[in-house]
Amino acid sequence: MLFSTTSTLFLAIAAGVQHVAGLELKIDDDASIRQAAATAAEIMFLYYNNSEATSESGKRGLLNSPYYWWESGAMWGAMLDYWKLTGDTKYMSQTSDALQYQLGNNSDFMMDDQVFDTGNDDQAFWAVNALTAAEYGFPNLPAPHPPWIQVAANVFNDMQARWDTTTCGGGLQWQIFKSNANGQNYKNSISNSGFFQIAARLARFTGNTTYSEWANKVYDWESAIGLIDPQNYNVYDGSDTKINCTEINHVTWSYNVGMTIYGAAMMYDISEGTEKDTWATRVQGFVNASAAFFSYTSNATNIMFENACEQYDTCKTDQFPFKGFLARWLSKTSVLVPSTNATISTWLQASAQGAALSCSGETNSTCGERWYIAGYDGNAGPGQQMSALEVFDSLLINNIPLPLKGSSSSASSSSSTSSTLTTLSTVTSTSSTPASTTSPPATTTASTAATTSVTSGATTTTSTLNMGAIASEIAGAAASGNP
Ligand SMILES: *[C@@H]1O[C@H](CO)[C@@H](O)[C@H](O)[C@H]1NC(C)=O
Ligand SMILES: *[C@@H]1O[C@H](CO)[C@@H](O)[C@H](O)[C@H]1NC(C)=O
Ligand SMILES: *[C@@H]1O[C@H](CO)[C@@H](O)[C@H](O)[C@H]1NC(C)=O
Ligand SMILES: *[C@@H]1O[C@H](CO)[C@@H](O)[C@H](O)[C@H]1NC(C)=O
Ligand SMILES: *[C@@H]1O[C@H](CO)[C@@H](O)[C@H](O)[C@H]1NC(C)=O
Ligand SMILES: *[C@@H]1O[C@H](CO)[C@@H](O)[C@H](O)[C@H]1NC(C)=O
Ligand SMILES: *[C@@H]1O[C@H](CO)[C@@H](O)[C@H](O)[C@H]1NC(C)=O
Ligand SMILES: *[C@@H]1O[C@H](CO)[C@@H](O)[C@H](O)[C@H]1NC(C)=O
């Protein structure tokens, strides 16, 4: 059943051909890459199909517990990439449905029934899908839903209104709702870099300088506070408002630098002169910082790994998809900033090969967590499938056009839920060159960060932050499983 549409593998098994460990992946053969991606997507979708079968109506688009709302958003982002990069339309209508069901009454991915696990980072993971949909020309939702770019602008407006100058000189709090007790005093990178990336992509799509001004403002704040290290471009996890962000939690996660680099690549793309040079330096800085997530062992050169937890076997549910986001955003960066292409391609090719070897469990093609062991490590789940899927897809990034742009009137300042705004008819391709997360992500991110450094000493963090305070603040969340 499972492989009824993955013909090669199915036939090989059916014919009694000896099973070859892992998915077959030839990095120079697009058909082979598409096949590997199709298999990874199909297995990932089994988790979703099971969830959909057991959830009440109105919950369409969501993975069941223990996968938080943000991870479902991340999954649909992977499906948008899968659709565009492979050309396979099989999951398009389910993707469209999922985004529509989770859009909310104000067309900004704020859901009344997800308040308990919606922080700024969680909303950001859904919001970047709206940008991807706009940039890829994914069909807009039917009326009365607004065009994708307006959905992204609505989220920007929400976040702009949440910008908090009462502590730390600015920044977004991790949490949005006071009712969400976990991580109330945390200002983290994934929320702020999420806002930065959303602003930068809106700036490029619409040409509206309000968005680029905000992108600069958020970036400068992250840099000033030390979430982004201006010397080595590490993107650290977060800081505590109770100490006015005077100390930093130095744990690094692959998705933080991933979220940040793509915003920087967008800013590079729209800048000129010395500003362009500045963004070029920053993008290269984030490439340099990304190197920490590759080459764990000398026999696993250029293969990606989650360096705060994977080697210690302490990664948690929320962290399994992180490598996929780094692959997603590095590959897209390599197109916008061609000087990064050689390094990034080398990394992604080796990582995809490692991932393919890991996809040899359970169904015979189920992917594992670790890509550097040349096999399946017994650790399966939708996040692991997502990571493998995105690293396979990323090899096809040079086959698609540059992200689309619209016009400056593509999005409006007042939160809009109507479809009467500029639609994709105003969108023109700017180039035909085929160059071209209490809450979830951060919640467990922070909690893992805290517990890892406090209890195991296994990380290489040199943080002097009051980890005890952060750990106790979010321990309840970790213990209860509430992101
Ligand atoms: C998931 O379920 C949908 C709806 O029944 C179906 O169209 C799709 O093929 C299923 N996907 C997989 C991978 O089984
Ligand atoms: C939309 O608004 C209605 C009426 O206020 C509310 O009952 C419902 O929960 C809202 N839906 C979402 C997804 O937030
Ligand atoms: C808190 O930090 C910000 C940014 O560094 C600074 O401007 C502000 O003066 C600080 N507030 C206090 C009370 O120290
Ligand atoms: C990135 O690393 C290269 C090679 O080590 C170095 O020459 C370059 O200055 C670094 N760039 C930044 C922005 O740190
Ligand atoms: C996995 O491969 C083994 C050996 O070829 C085979 O017996 C088994 O049926 C396969 N499992 C699935 C789910 O295809
Ligand atoms: C690297 O060597 C270790 C120890 O021998 C082994 O377990 C691992 O599978 C190897 N990794 C690769 C990618 O070959
Ligand atoms: C640019 O965006 C801002 C914020 O949404 C809005 O207030 C402004 O009117 C927009 N400018 C133009 C020229 O569309
Ligand atoms: C990036 O590198 C890959 C792998 O070497 C190559 O196939 C591709 O053409 C390069 N892309 C650009 C835009 O140079």
Side-chain angles (χ1 to χ4, degrees), residues 337-362:
V337 191
S339 59
T340 65
N341 183 46
T343 301
I344 290 175
S345 298
T346 304
W347 283 342
L348 296 180
Q349 287 176 357
S351 299
Q353 286 170 310
L357 289 172
S358 89
C359 299
S360 53
E362 316 207 354

Side-chain angles (χ1 to χ4, degrees), residues 255-287:
Y255 79 155
N256 280 324
V257 70
M259 185 69 96
T260 313
I261 195 173
Y262 194 47
M266 284 273 156
M267 293 304 286
Y268 168 85
D269 191 63
I270 61 173
S271 301
E272 286 168 3
T274 56
E275 233 188 296
K276 197 174 194 73
D277 296 342
T278 298
W279 285 109
T281 302
R282 290 169 175 173
V283 170
Q284 184 58 48
F286 294 124
V287 171

Side-chain angles (χ1 to χ4, degrees), residues 135-159:
E135 291 161 356
Y136 281 174
F138 189 74
N140 280 316
L141 295 174
H145 301 292
W148 292 120
I149 197 63
Q150 183 63 53
V151 171
N154 292 347
V155 176
F156 170 91
N157 293 338
D158 291 349
M159 291 184 169

Side-chain angles (χ1 to χ4, degrees), residues 94-154:
Q94 276 164 299
T95 303
S96 185
D97 277 2
L99 296 175
Q100 180 172 337
Y101 268 73
Q102 300 303 318
L103 198 52
N105 289 335
N106 298 318
S107 299
D108 60 353
F109 296 117
M110 290 300 293
M111 298 291 289
D112 286 356
D113 61 354
Q114 297 294 335
V115 161
F116 79 102
D117 70 348
T118 303
N120 281 297
D121 49 354
D122 307 82
Q123 188 189 15
F125 265 92
W126 284 91
V128 292
N129 295 342
L131 286 156
T132 301
E135 291 161 356
Y136 281 174
F138 189 74
N140 280 316
L141 295 174
H145 301 292
W148 292 120
I149 197 63
Q150 183 63 53
V151 171
N154 292 347

Side-chain angles (χ1 to χ4, degrees), residues 97 99 108 144 196 247 261 288 316-317 341 405 428 432 446 478:
D97 277 2
L99 296 175
D108 60 353
F196 165 63
E247 291 177 32
I261 195 173
N288 290 6
K316 297 202 163 62
T317 303
N341 183 46
K405 286 183 184 175
T428 50
S432 54

Side-chain angles (χ1 to χ4, degrees), residues 142 175 180 184 209 242 248 253 304 331 369-370 384 417:
Q175 296 302 340
N180 193 337
Q184 273 294 346
T209 54
K242 282 184 294 191
I248 297 291
W253 300 101
M304 199 191 297
S331 65
E369 177 194 9
R370 293 174 196 76
Q384 293 85 328
T417 55

Side-chain angles (χ1 to χ4, degrees), residues 135-347:
E135 291 161 356
Y136 281 174
F138 189 74
N140 280 316
L141 295 174
H145 301 292
W148 292 120
I149 197 63
Q150 183 63 53
V151 171
N154 292 347
V155 176
F156 170 91
N157 293 338
D158 291 349
M159 291 184 169
Q160 183 186 4
R162 293 179 198 137
W163 187 255
D164 170 36
T165 54
T166 61
T167 58
C168 311
L172 289 181
Q173 293 267 8
W174 174 14
Q175 296 302 340
I176 299 167
F177 299 103
K178 291 288 174 207
S179 56
N180 193 337
N182 306 306
Q184 273 294 346
N185 301 301
Y186 207 51
K187 287 191 174 174
N188 58 353
S189 289
I190 196 64
S191 296
N192 285 284
S193 287
F195 185 25
F196 165 63
Q197 189 190 106
I198 289 164
R201 290 169 78 173
L202 275 164
R204 181 179 175 281
F205 192 96
T206 67
N208 182 330
T209 54
T210 300
Y211 297 124
S212 44
E213 282 158 17
W214 268 92
N216 273 300
K217 178 174 174 155
V218 180
Y219 186 96
D220 290 347
W221 176 81
E222 289 189 85
S223 208
I225 234 66
L227 292 179
I228 295 172
D229 188 318
Q231 248 73 53
N232 58 28
Y233 294 89
N234 285 328
V235 183
Y236 301 120
D237 192 67
S239 191
D240 192 337
T241 59
K242 282 184 294 191
I243 53 171
N244 198 35
C245 297
T246 49
E247 291 177 32
I248 297 291
N249 173 359
H250 282 108
V251 173
T252 54
W253 300 101
S254 61
Y255 79 155
N256 280 324
V257 70
M259 185 69 96
T260 313
I261 195 173
Y262 194 47
M266 284 273 156
M267 293 304 286
Y268 168 85
D269 191 63
I270 61 173
S271 301
E272 286 168 3
T274 56
E275 233 188 296
K276 197 174 194 73
D277 296 342
T278 298
W279 285 109
T281 302
R282 290 169 175 173
V283 170
Q284 184 58 48
F286 294 124
V287 171
N288 290 6
S290 298
F293 299 100
F294 294 87
S295 307
Y296 173 50
T297 51
S298 57
N299 65 344
T301 306
N302 295 325
I303 296 178
M304 199 191 297
F305 72 110
E306 192 61 48
N307 72 13
C309 60
E310 219 171 84
Q311 322 84 290
Y312 317 114
D313 208 9
T314 54
C315 296
K316 297 202 163 62
T317 303
D318 277 342
Q319 292 147 6
F320 297 129
F322 285 1
K323 294 199 296 292
F325 312 135
L326 185 56
R328 176 199 293 184
W329 287 315
L330 281 178
S331 65
K332 295 184 184 202
T333 294
S334 75
V335 171
L336 291 181
V337 191
S339 59
T340 65
N341 183 46
T343 301
I344 290 175
S345 298
T346 304
W347 283 342

